[in-house]
Amino acid sequence: MTDTARDFATEAAGGAAPGRPRVDMTVETAHEQYAPGRSGAPGGGHEVQVMVRIRARGLEAAAPRHPPERSEVIVIDCSGSMGHPSARKIAAARRAAAAAIEMLPDGTHFALVAGTDTARVVHPRCDPASPATVAASPASRADGARAALTLEAHGGTRISSWLSLARTLLTARPDTAFRHALLLTDGVDQHGRTEELRRVLDDCAGEFECDALGIGEGWDAEQLREIADRLRGRVEAVVDDPPDAGDPPDAGGPRDAGRAGEGLGEQLTRLFRELVGASTRRKLSRLTLAVHTGPQASVALFRQVNPAVLDLTGTAVRDGDRTLLPTGAWGEETRWYELRLRVDPGHPSVRETGEARIASLGLEADAAAGVVLPREERITVRWVGQAPPTDLGVAGRHFRRYTELEEATRAGCAALGRHDVPRAERELGRAVRLAYELGDASHLTRLRALVTVENAAVGLVRVRDAVDPGHLRTLIARSSRTAPPPEAGGDEPPPPGAPGDGAPGEAGAGHSEKPPVRCRRCAEWVRPDRFCESCGHPLGEDR
């Protein structure tokens, strides 16, 4: 069985002029697919996994004749808890909001919102019945920064009302191409019902993107994950004692939000600048993956798997024989997606031949953006009557491990919250082993804040005697982040624990466990048992 992986450069799609912004697309899928219902047996539905890499290049150098309109709303939790037990949180929020406002490009429409049990616009000054934004200029930025420095902590917390006002402000200008909100809180949606928050999220989804930050001890990581996931944003934890404080930087891995020697205010200001800067650097407002399918196939799942996991299946729009899958606004970046196509192998169009085209993928963007797009990619499979060896491809195997890593991490955190130490050690040990195999040193660092790692290669850990709840929230908030897979055609990574693999050096220290072995069938590194724990293949045949 072979994988098909083709990178369509824009020159091949039509000779793009040098310097023009462009988008490339790579597709990876298994060509041979087992068709259990092809002989006429019931239940012939089958899912074909397609991994898609989309890369946007040259956007930052592009200079559109008419720059697109942008709107930014900064929402600061001003509830009473932001001033307790000290004023450090509200003081840090004031400085960070002022710094974010000062970096907004001229012409960007913005507003500063104070959130309590209600929501009100602090800047610009306006009639509460007619909230509005103001265009960024030297004068309006200075006024906005001064308004941010006057924020006071009092009242309750109703996040649903904050998001509702942000939506009103961001949608007031229908021609705005880029809409972004930045939300900071130290609490939970106390004054609104769960159903109310979800209703507001339903109203906001697709209207704007929102990054959410938690600060202090009272915020709910799962609630902020829900907000950021629905609004295609990022979650950050602002903590006094970051898990990696004092640790050396990880070679080749991103740093976490907290850095050694960085104070609460410095950390929050840096994050605000980073998130607002990322928003203002986006140049492509819309990029849609268009999936053409025949009557034998349909889209079963669509999710982003890198740089963070986001389930986007609910955003799909059916348009005749096409399914349109929006991917949001883009800057100079690369993202990976997983697409699953549900196919009926018993359909007459498939039964006639063992090889069939089940779909084609294309990209669509606003014509005004002037972006050169790749040509359409056909997805063709060959139906076989016997299940072939499991082979998800390099990207498929990589992101399957990350799916398991997130599941184990969140299950372990939930068990810790219930004080179920044995279950927590099993799940967090599995997470340590997966992070170690993936070489994800940043995730390992966050896990070490909760457990003592005795042997990373086999996932042997002990829950620490004292676990900081802040570290628990940080791990949950960042558990959906992933690293890209190894480059196609690059060197195979060494087995976990091998010299020079770049992973932390805990594995094997003082232990006699045998090193992992590589399964010949599925190419996974697994424990040296009789059978592969991933696909069931007898490992004795590989030795």
Side-chain angles (χ1 to χ4, degrees), residues 18-89:
R20 287 188 62 184
R22 65 189 193 182
V23 177
D24 297 338
M25 179 170 67
T26 301
V27 173
E28 179 182 281
T29 188
H31 182 59
E32 291 186 348
Q33 297 285 337
Y34 174 48
R38 189 158 180 250
S39 60
H46 175 73
E47 286 190 359
V48 176
Q49 182 191 54
V50 183
M51 304 304 300
V52 182
R53 186 192 71 173
I54 300 175
R55 178 176 57 182
R57 295 185 290 174
L59 296 179
E60 292 188 359
R65 186 177 306 171
H66 302 290
E69 289 197 11
R70 300 176 180 274
S71 289
E72 183 81 30
V73 173
I74 298 172
V75 183
I76 302 297
D77 185 341
C78 290
S79 62
S81 58
M82 284 288 286
H84 295 285
S86 72
R88 291 180 66 235
K89 288 181 290 184

Side-chain angles (χ1 to χ4, degrees), residues 360-510:
S360 60
L361 310 183
L363 291 174
E364 298 179 357
D366 292 325
V371 175
V372 179
L373 300 174
R375 64 189 178 189
E376 200 170 65
E377 163 70 344
R378 294 183 177 185
I379 306 299
T380 303
V381 300
R382 184 168 71 87
W383 299 114
V384 296
Q386 183 176 3
T390 302
D391 189 354
L392 302 177
V394 173
R397 291 193 299 270
H398 179 81
F399 290 119
R400 184 181 68 176
R401 271 185 174 153
Y402 263 112
T403 296
E404 295 171 357
L405 173 59
E406 181 179 11
E407 290 172 351
T409 297
R410 297 185 76 167
C413 289
L416 270 183
R418 299 190 305 269
H419 305 290
D420 184 349
V421 173
R423 174 71 186 275
E425 289 183 341
R426 284 197 304 273
E427 296 294 349
L428 293 176
R430 184 162 69 102
V432 163
R433 177 176 61 83
L434 288 163
Y436 180 68
E437 291 172 356
L438 285 160
D440 193 328
S442 293
H443 200 94
L444 271 173
T445 295
R446 294 190 289 269
L447 286 165
R448 281 196 221 102
L450 307 183
V451 298
T452 298
V453 179
E454 297 188 354
N455 190 307
V458 297
L460 183 60
V461 304
R462 288 183 295 105
V463 170
R464 292 186 181 275
D465 294 335
V467 172
D468 185 338
H471 293 165
L472 193 65
R473 286 189 295 271
T474 299
L475 185 58
I476 295 171
R478 299 178 187 152
S479 62
S480 66
R481 298 185 188 178
T482 66
E487 287 293 329
D491 294 335
E492 287 286 350
D501 73 343
E506 305 138 322

Side-chain angles (χ1 to χ4, degrees), residues 71-244:
S71 289
E72 183 81 30
V73 173
I74 298 172
V75 183
I76 302 297
D77 185 341
C78 290
S79 62
S81 58
M82 284 288 286
H84 295 285
S86 72
R88 291 180 66 235
K89 288 181 290 184
I90 191 64
R94 291 173 187 144
R95 293 193 297 271
I101 290 170
E102 288 169 346
M103 68 179 292
L104 292 173
D106 283 349
T108 301
H109 280 257
F110 75 98
L112 176 64
V113 171
T116 56
D117 47 337
T118 61
R120 66 183 179 90
V121 178
V122 176
H123 182 79
R125 292 183 179 274
C126 55
D127 183 350
S130 303
T133 57
V134 64
S137 66
S140 65
R141 283 192 295 267
D143 289 343
R146 280 193 293 269
L149 296 175
T150 66
L151 293 173
E152 297 291 340
H154 60 82
T157 306
R158 190 170 191 154
I159 297 175
S160 56
S161 70
W162 310 352
L163 291 171
S164 183
L165 178 56
R167 177 178 179 272
T168 298
L169 292 164
L170 290 168
T171 59
R173 302 176 62 83
D175 294 332
T176 300
F178 299 92
R179 299 168 176 160
H180 178 252
L182 187 61
L183 184 150
L184 172 72
T185 185
D186 77 331
V188 296
D189 199 40
Q190 295 176 330
H191 292 79
R193 298 188 303 273
T194 301
E195 298 79 6
E196 180 184 350
L197 177 59
R198 288 180 178 160
R199 177 184 57 77
V200 170
L201 287 174
D202 287 341
D203 293 340
C204 294
E207 298 287 358
F208 64 93
E209 297 182 359
C210 178
D211 295 316
L213 297 90
I215 187 172
E217 302 297 325
W219 58 282
D220 184 341
E222 295 289 356
Q223 188 173 81
L224 287 197
R225 277 285 304 269
E226 180 181 11
I227 292 169
D229 287 353
R230 290 298 311 279
L231 303 183
R232 299 192 184 204
R234 177 171 142 190
V235 181
E236 286 290 356
V238 186
V239 292
D240 268 331
D241 179 25
D244 58 351

Side-chain angles (χ1 to χ4, degrees), residues 260-446:
E262 189 176 46
L264 195 70
E266 294 172 311
Q267 186 184 154
L268 186 59
T269 295
R270 177 177 54 79
L271 284 170
F272 267 41
R273 285 177 170 156
E274 181 180 319
L275 294 169
V276 170
S279 174
T280 58
R281 284 193 300 272
R282 290 181 183 130
K283 300 296 179 66
L284 186 60
S285 63
R286 182 184 68 86
L287 187 64
T288 300
L289 181 66
V291 183
H292 296 250
T293 57
Q296 81 278 24
S298 60
V299 173
L301 177 141
F302 179 60
R303 64 175 189 149
Q304 178 183 292
V305 291
N306 174 258
V309 177
L310 289 173
D311 189 345
L312 304 174
T313 309
T315 67
V317 177
R318 190 71 181 175
D319 178 26
D321 65 345
R322 306 189 311 161
T323 300
L324 303 180
L325 303 168
T327 64
W330 282 71
E332 197 93 354
E333 58 187 304
T334 299
R335 302 180 197 170
W336 279 86
Y337 296 90
E338 177 188 6
L339 172 67
R340 290 188 195 171
L341 300 170
R342 184 174 292 115
V343 183
D344 178 10
H347 191 275
S349 64
V350 177
R351 280 204 304 265
E352 295 171 358
T353 176
E355 186 161 292
R357 172 187 170 187
I358 60 173
S360 60
L361 310 183
L363 291 174
E364 298 179 357
D366 292 325
V371 175
V372 179
L373 300 174
R375 64 189 178 189
E376 200 170 65
E377 163 70 344
R378 294 183 177 185
I379 306 299
T380 303
V381 300
R382 184 168 71 87
W383 299 114
V384 296
Q386 183 176 3
T390 302
D391 189 354
L392 302 177
V394 173
R397 291 193 299 270
H398 179 81
F399 290 119
R400 184 181 68 176
R401 271 185 174 153
Y402 263 112
T403 296
E404 295 171 357
L405 173 59
E406 181 179 11
E407 290 172 351
T409 297
R410 297 185 76 167
C413 289
L416 270 183
R418 299 190 305 269
H419 305 290
D420 184 349
V421 173
R423 174 71 186 275
E425 289 183 341
R426 284 197 304 273
E427 296 294 349
L428 293 176
R430 184 162 69 102
V432 163
R433 177 176 61 83
L434 288 163
Y436 180 68
E437 291 172 356
L438 285 160
D440 193 328
S442 293
H443 200 94
L444 271 173
T445 295
R446 294 190 289 269

